[in-house]
Amino acid sequence: MGRGFSYESTNTTNVGVYGTLKRGFHNHNLLGSSPQIDDGWIRGLSLYDLGPFPGARRASYESLIYVEVYAVSPSTLQALDELEGFLPNQPESSLYIRELLFLESGPSCWVYLYNQSIEGAQAIVEGVWPN
C-alpha cells in the first residue's frame, strides 16, 4: 500500500479516483497500464462540481463518494500528483492534497481532496461524477 510521499519504491500504490481519471474520461490515460483492482464508496466525503472536474472534501459521516481504485507505479503516482497540483512538501499550497482513506469494503487507497474554496460550487449529492 501507500509508502508516504516517496516515489522510489518499486511497489504499487492504490489510488482511488472519482473524476476525470475514471475509465472513459479524458485523464484516464495518465493511469497507463495500471490495473483497476477495486471500486466502491468512501464515507465521510462530499463531491462538488467545479466545472470541468469535481473535487472531494471531508464532510459528515453520512456522505459518500464513489471511486475506482487502481494499483499505480511510483512514476504514475508522481504524474497524478502533478495533475492534481499536489506538492508533497507544501500541502498548504496544493490544489489537491492526497490522503489515505478506506473504502466501505475495507481496503485503503490514496484519494485527492480538493484544497481550495468550494464557495459557489454545487454539491453532487449522489457522490458520483458526472451526476
mmCIF file of all heavy atoms in Angstrom, residues 20-45:
data_model
loop_
_atom_site.group_PDB
_atom_site.id
_atom_site.type_symbol
_atom_site.label_atom_id
_atom_site.label_comp_id
_atom_site.label_asym_id
_atom_site.label_seq_id
_atom_site.Cartn_x
_atom_site.Cartn_y
_atom_site.Cartn_z
ATOM 1 N N THR A 20 -12.008 12.993 -13.530
ATOM 2 C CA THR A 20 -11.528 12.868 -14.905
ATOM 3 C C THR A 20 -10.518 11.738 -15.090
ATOM 4 O O THR A 20 -10.149 11.438 -16.216
ATOM 5 C CB THR A 20 -10.897 14.183 -15.394
ATOM 6 O OG1 THR A 20 -9.739 14.483 -14.603
ATOM 7 C CG2 THR A 20 -11.900 15.329 -15.318
ATOM 8 N N LEU A 21 -10.091 11.096 -14.007
ATOM 9 C CA LEU A 21 -9.200 9.941 -14.110
ATOM 10 C C LEU A 21 -9.960 8.625 -14.228
ATOM 11 O O LEU A 21 -9.367 7.586 -14.516
ATOM 12 C CB LEU A 21 -8.259 9.875 -12.898
ATOM 13 C CG LEU A 21 -7.169 10.942 -12.872
ATOM 14 C CD1 LEU A 21 -6.566 11.063 -11.482
ATOM 15 C CD2 LEU A 21 -6.097 10.621 -13.901
ATOM 16 N N LYS A 22 -11.281 8.660 -14.038
ATOM 17 C CA LYS A 22 -12.072 7.431 -14.145
ATOM 18 C C LYS A 22 -12.083 6.929 -15.586
ATOM 19 O O LYS A 22 -11.881 7.690 -16.537
ATOM 20 C CB LYS A 22 -13.526 7.667 -13.703
ATOM 21 C CG LYS A 22 -13.686 7.890 -12.234
ATOM 22 C CD LYS A 22 -15.124 7.867 -11.745
ATOM 23 C CE LYS A 22 -16.132 8.533 -12.618
ATOM 24 N NZ LYS A 22 -17.471 8.601 -12.034
ATOM 25 N N ARG A 23 -12.341 5.641 -15.725
ATOM 26 C CA ARG A 23 -12.445 5.000 -17.038
ATOM 27 C C ARG A 23 -13.448 5.778 -17.905
ATOM 28 O O ARG A 23 -14.532 6.120 -17.466
ATOM 29 C CB ARG A 23 -12.902 3.553 -16.865
ATOM 30 C CG ARG A 23 -12.902 2.747 -18.149
ATOM 31 C CD ARG A 23 -13.248 1.294 -17.915
ATOM 32 N NE ARG A 23 -12.518 0.683 -16.803
ATOM 33 C CZ ARG A 23 -11.250 0.256 -16.848
ATOM 34 N NH1 ARG A 23 -10.564 0.385 -17.960
ATOM 35 N NH2 ARG A 23 -10.693 -0.290 -15.788
ATOM 36 N N GLY A 24 -13.043 6.076 -19.133
ATOM 37 C CA GLY A 24 -13.924 6.774 -20.074
ATOM 38 C C GLY A 24 -13.781 8.285 -20.061
ATOM 39 O O GLY A 24 -14.415 8.966 -20.876
ATOM 40 N N PHE A 25 -12.946 8.834 -19.194
ATOM 41 C CA PHE A 25 -12.766 10.284 -19.126
ATOM 42 C C PHE A 25 -11.369 10.672 -19.611
ATOM 43 O O PHE A 25 -10.467 9.845 -19.693
ATOM 44 C CB PHE A 25 -13.038 10.800 -17.705
ATOM 45 C CG PHE A 25 -14.484 10.684 -17.337
ATOM 46 C CD1 PHE A 25 -14.952 9.542 -16.703
ATOM 47 C CD2 PHE A 25 -15.389 11.685 -17.663
ATOM 48 C CE1 PHE A 25 -16.293 9.409 -16.376
ATOM 49 C CE2 PHE A 25 -16.729 11.559 -17.347
ATOM 50 C CZ PHE A 25 -17.183 10.423 -16.706
ATOM 51 N N HIS A 26 -11.207 11.952 -19.931
ATOM 52 C CA HIS A 26 -10.035 12.403 -20.679
ATOM 53 C C HIS A 26 -8.691 12.257 -19.965
ATOM 54 O O HIS A 26 -7.668 12.207 -20.634
ATOM 55 C CB HIS A 26 -10.233 13.829 -21.191
ATOM 56 C CG HIS A 26 -10.315 14.873 -20.131
ATOM 57 N ND1 HIS A 26 -11.480 15.157 -19.467
ATOM 58 C CD2 HIS A 26 -9.374 15.682 -19.620
ATOM 59 C CE1 HIS A 26 -11.259 16.121 -18.593
ATOM 60 N NE2 HIS A 26 -9.992 16.455 -18.665
ATOM 61 N N ASN A 27 -8.628 12.161 -18.661
ATOM 62 C CA ASN A 27 -7.335 11.990 -17.989
ATOM 63 C C ASN A 27 -7.032 10.535 -17.620
ATOM 64 O O ASN A 27 -5.984 10.253 -17.042
ATOM 65 C CB ASN A 27 -7.254 12.866 -16.736
ATOM 66 C CG ASN A 27 -6.975 14.314 -17.076
ATOM 67 O OD1 ASN A 27 -6.239 14.613 -17.998
ATOM 68 N ND2 ASN A 27 -7.591 15.217 -16.331
ATOM 69 N N HIS A 28 -7.932 9.625 -17.973
ATOM 70 C CA HIS A 28 -7.731 8.214 -17.627
ATOM 71 C C HIS A 28 -6.424 7.666 -18.211
ATOM 72 O O HIS A 28 -5.780 6.807 -17.604
ATOM 73 C CB HIS A 28 -8.923 7.367 -18.095
ATOM 74 C CG HIS A 28 -8.813 5.925 -17.722
ATOM 75 N ND1 HIS A 28 -9.003 5.488 -16.426
ATOM 76 C CD2 HIS A 28 -8.518 4.826 -18.454
ATOM 77 C CE1 HIS A 28 -8.830 4.170 -16.386
ATOM 78 N NE2 HIS A 28 -8.534 3.753 -17.599
ATOM 79 N N ASN A 29 -6.015 8.201 -19.358
ATOM 80 C CA ASN A 29 -4.786 7.716 -19.998
ATOM 81 C C ASN A 29 -3.549 7.911 -19.122
ATOM 82 O O ASN A 29 -2.553 7.212 -19.294
ATOM 83 C CB ASN A 29 -4.575 8.381 -21.362
ATOM 84 C CG ASN A 29 -4.387 9.880 -21.248
ATOM 85 O OD1 ASN A 29 -4.980 10.541 -20.393
ATOM 86 N ND2 ASN A 29 -3.584 10.440 -22.117
ATOM 87 N N LEU A 30 -3.598 8.829 -18.151
ATOM 88 C CA LEU A 30 -2.458 9.021 -17.247
ATOM 89 C C LEU A 30 -2.222 7.799 -16.354
ATOM 90 O O LEU A 30 -1.128 7.619 -15.828
ATOM 91 C CB LEU A 30 -2.666 10.252 -16.362
ATOM 92 C CG LEU A 30 -2.571 11.598 -17.063
ATOM 93 C CD1 LEU A 30 -2.897 12.727 -16.096
ATOM 94 C CD2 LEU A 30 -1.184 11.795 -17.652
ATOM 95 N N LEU A 31 -3.251 6.967 -16.215
ATOM 96 C CA LEU A 31 -3.092 5.752 -15.419
ATOM 97 C C LEU A 31 -2.338 4.674 -16.192
ATOM 98 O O LEU A 31 -1.956 3.650 -15.613
ATOM 99 C CB LEU A 31 -4.459 5.231 -14.963
ATOM 100 C CG LEU A 31 -5.167 6.133 -13.949
ATOM 101 C CD1 LEU A 31 -6.616 5.709 -13.764
ATOM 102 C CD2 LEU A 31 -4.431 6.143 -12.625
ATOM 103 N N GLY A 32 -2.127 4.890 -17.488
ATOM 104 C CA GLY A 32 -1.364 3.952 -18.308
ATOM 105 C C GLY A 32 -1.916 2.550 -18.226
ATOM 106 O O GLY A 32 -3.117 2.330 -18.404
ATOM 107 N N SER A 33 -1.058 1.606 -17.899
ATOM 108 C CA SER A 33 -1.482 0.205 -17.803
ATOM 109 C C SER A 33 -1.831 -0.198 -16.373
ATOM 110 O O SER A 33 -1.917 -1.384 -16.071
ATOM 111 C CB SER A 33 -0.385 -0.706 -18.347
ATOM 112 O OG SER A 33 0.801 -0.532 -17.581
ATOM 113 N N SER A 34 -2.038 0.772 -15.499
ATOM 114 C CA SER A 34 -2.392 0.473 -14.110
ATOM 115 C C SER A 34 -3.700 -0.307 -14.071
ATOM 116 O O SER A 34 -4.709 0.134 -14.636
ATOM 117 C CB SER A 34 -2.572 1.758 -13.307
ATOM 118 O OG SER A 34 -1.415 2.561 -13.353
ATOM 119 N N PRO A 35 -3.711 -1.458 -13.415
ATOM 120 C CA PRO A 35 -4.952 -2.240 -13.367
ATOM 121 C C PRO A 35 -5.949 -1.667 -12.361
ATOM 122 O O PRO A 35 -5.555 -1.194 -11.287
ATOM 123 C CB PRO A 35 -4.477 -3.627 -12.918
ATOM 124 C CG PRO A 35 -3.250 -3.347 -12.108
ATOM 125 C CD PRO A 35 -2.602 -2.153 -12.755
ATOM 126 N N GLN A 36 -7.227 -1.706 -12.746
ATOM 127 C CA GLN A 36 -8.264 -1.368 -11.770
ATOM 128 C C GLN A 36 -8.420 -2.585 -10.869
ATOM 129 O O GLN A 36 -8.665 -3.690 -11.340
ATOM 130 C CB GLN A 36 -9.598 -1.034 -12.442
ATOM 131 C CG GLN A 36 -10.644 -0.638 -11.411
ATOM 132 C CD GLN A 36 -11.957 -0.197 -12.022
ATOM 133 O OE1 GLN A 36 -12.070 -0.006 -13.226
ATOM 134 N NE2 GLN A 36 -12.959 -0.028 -11.172
ATOM 135 N N ILE A 37 -8.258 -2.383 -9.571
ATOM 136 C CA ILE A 37 -8.291 -3.504 -8.639
ATOM 137 C C ILE A 37 -9.529 -3.520 -7.752
ATOM 138 O O ILE A 37 -9.786 -4.515 -7.071
ATOM 139 C CB ILE A 37 -7.025 -3.540 -7.757
ATOM 140 C CG1 ILE A 37 -6.889 -2.238 -6.966
ATOM 141 C CG2 ILE A 37 -5.795 -3.799 -8.612
ATOM 142 C CD1 ILE A 37 -5.866 -2.316 -5.860
ATOM 143 N N ASP A 38 -10.288 -2.427 -7.750
ATOM 144 C CA ASP A 38 -11.462 -2.358 -6.880
ATOM 145 C C ASP A 38 -12.275 -1.142 -7.266
ATOM 146 O O ASP A 38 -11.852 -0.323 -8.082
ATOM 147 C CB ASP A 38 -11.020 -2.259 -5.413
ATOM 148 C CG ASP A 38 -12.034 -2.845 -4.421
ATOM 149 O OD1 ASP A 38 -13.204 -3.067 -4.813
ATOM 150 O OD2 ASP A 38 -11.648 -3.073 -3.263
ATOM 151 N N ASP A 39 -13.427 -1.030 -6.689
ATOM 152 C CA ASP A 39 -14.223 0.183 -6.744
ATOM 153 C C ASP A 39 -15.153 0.143 -5.546
ATOM 154 O O ASP A 39 -15.314 -0.900 -4.919
ATOM 155 C CB ASP A 39 -15.003 0.314 -8.051
ATOM 156 C CG ASP A 39 -16.081 -0.748 -8.205
ATOM 157 O OD1 ASP A 39 -15.878 -1.886 -7.764
ATOM 158 O OD2 ASP A 39 -17.137 -0.432 -8.772
ATOM 159 N N GLY A 40 -15.708 1.285 -5.208
ATOM 160 C CA GLY A 40 -16.615 1.310 -4.073
ATOM 161 C C GLY A 40 -16.798 2.708 -3.527
ATOM 162 O O GLY A 40 -16.442 3.697 -4.175
ATOM 163 N N TRP A 41 -17.337 2.756 -2.333
ATOM 164 C CA TRP A 41 -17.737 4.011 -1.701
ATOM 165 C C TRP A 41 -16.807 4.348 -0.543
ATOM 166 O O TRP A 41 -16.391 3.464 0.199
ATOM 167 C CB TRP A 41 -19.168 3.899 -1.206
ATOM 168 C CG TRP A 41 -20.128 3.684 -2.321
ATOM 169 C CD1 TRP A 41 -20.536 2.491 -2.842
ATOM 170 C CD2 TRP A 41 -20.779 4.686 -3.084
ATOM 171 N NE1 TRP A 41 -21.398 2.701 -3.891
ATOM 172 C CE2 TRP A 41 -21.580 4.039 -4.053
ATOM 173 C CE3 TRP A 41 -20.767 6.079 -3.043
ATOM 174 C CZ2 TRP A 41 -22.359 4.741 -4.962
ATOM 175 C CZ3 TRP A 41 -21.553 6.780 -3.952
ATOM 176 C CH2 TRP A 41 -22.335 6.109 -4.901
ATOM 177 N N ILE A 42 -16.517 5.645 -0.416
ATOM 178 C CA ILE A 42 -15.759 6.144 0.727
ATOM 179 C C ILE A 42 -16.684 7.055 1.519
ATOM 180 O O ILE A 42 -17.279 7.990 0.972
ATOM 181 C CB ILE A 42 -14.486 6.894 0.289
ATOM 182 C CG1 ILE A 42 -13.548 5.931 -0.429
ATOM 183 C CG2 ILE A 42 -13.805 7.534 1.490
ATOM 184 C CD1 ILE A 42 -12.276 6.572 -0.938
ATOM 185 N N ARG A 43 -16.798 6.769 2.779
ATOM 186 C CA ARG A 43 -17.679 7.511 3.682
ATOM 187 C C ARG A 43 -16.964 8.740 4.244
ATOM 188 O O ARG A 43 -15.760 8.741 4.427
ATOM 189 C CB ARG A 43 -18.110 6.585 4.816
ATOM 190 C CG ARG A 43 -19.134 7.195 5.735
ATOM 191 C CD ARG A 43 -19.738 6.163 6.666
ATOM 192 N NE ARG A 43 -20.600 5.219 5.964
ATOM 193 C CZ ARG A 43 -21.845 5.465 5.577
ATOM 194 N NH1 ARG A 43 -22.377 6.649 5.789
ATOM 195 N NH2 ARG A 43 -22.551 4.536 4.977
ATOM 196 N N GLY A 44 -17.750 9.790 4.492
ATOM 197 C CA GLY A 44 -17.216 10.997 5.119
ATOM 198 C C GLY A 44 -16.660 12.020 4.151
ATOM 199 O O GLY A 44 -15.971 12.948 4.560
ATOM 200 N N LEU A 45 -16.993 11.849 2.858
ATOM 201 C CA LEU A 45 -16.572 12.809 1.841
ATOM 202 C C LEU A 45 -17.781 13.276 1.041
ATOM 203 O O LEU A 45 -18.720 12.512 0.837
ATOM 204 C CB LEU A 45 -15.569 12.176 0.868
ATOM 205 C CG LEU A 45 -14.237 11.692 1.424
ATOM 206 C CD1 LEU A 45 -13.411 11.051 0.313
ATOM 207 C CD2 LEU A 45 -13.470 12.820 2.082
#
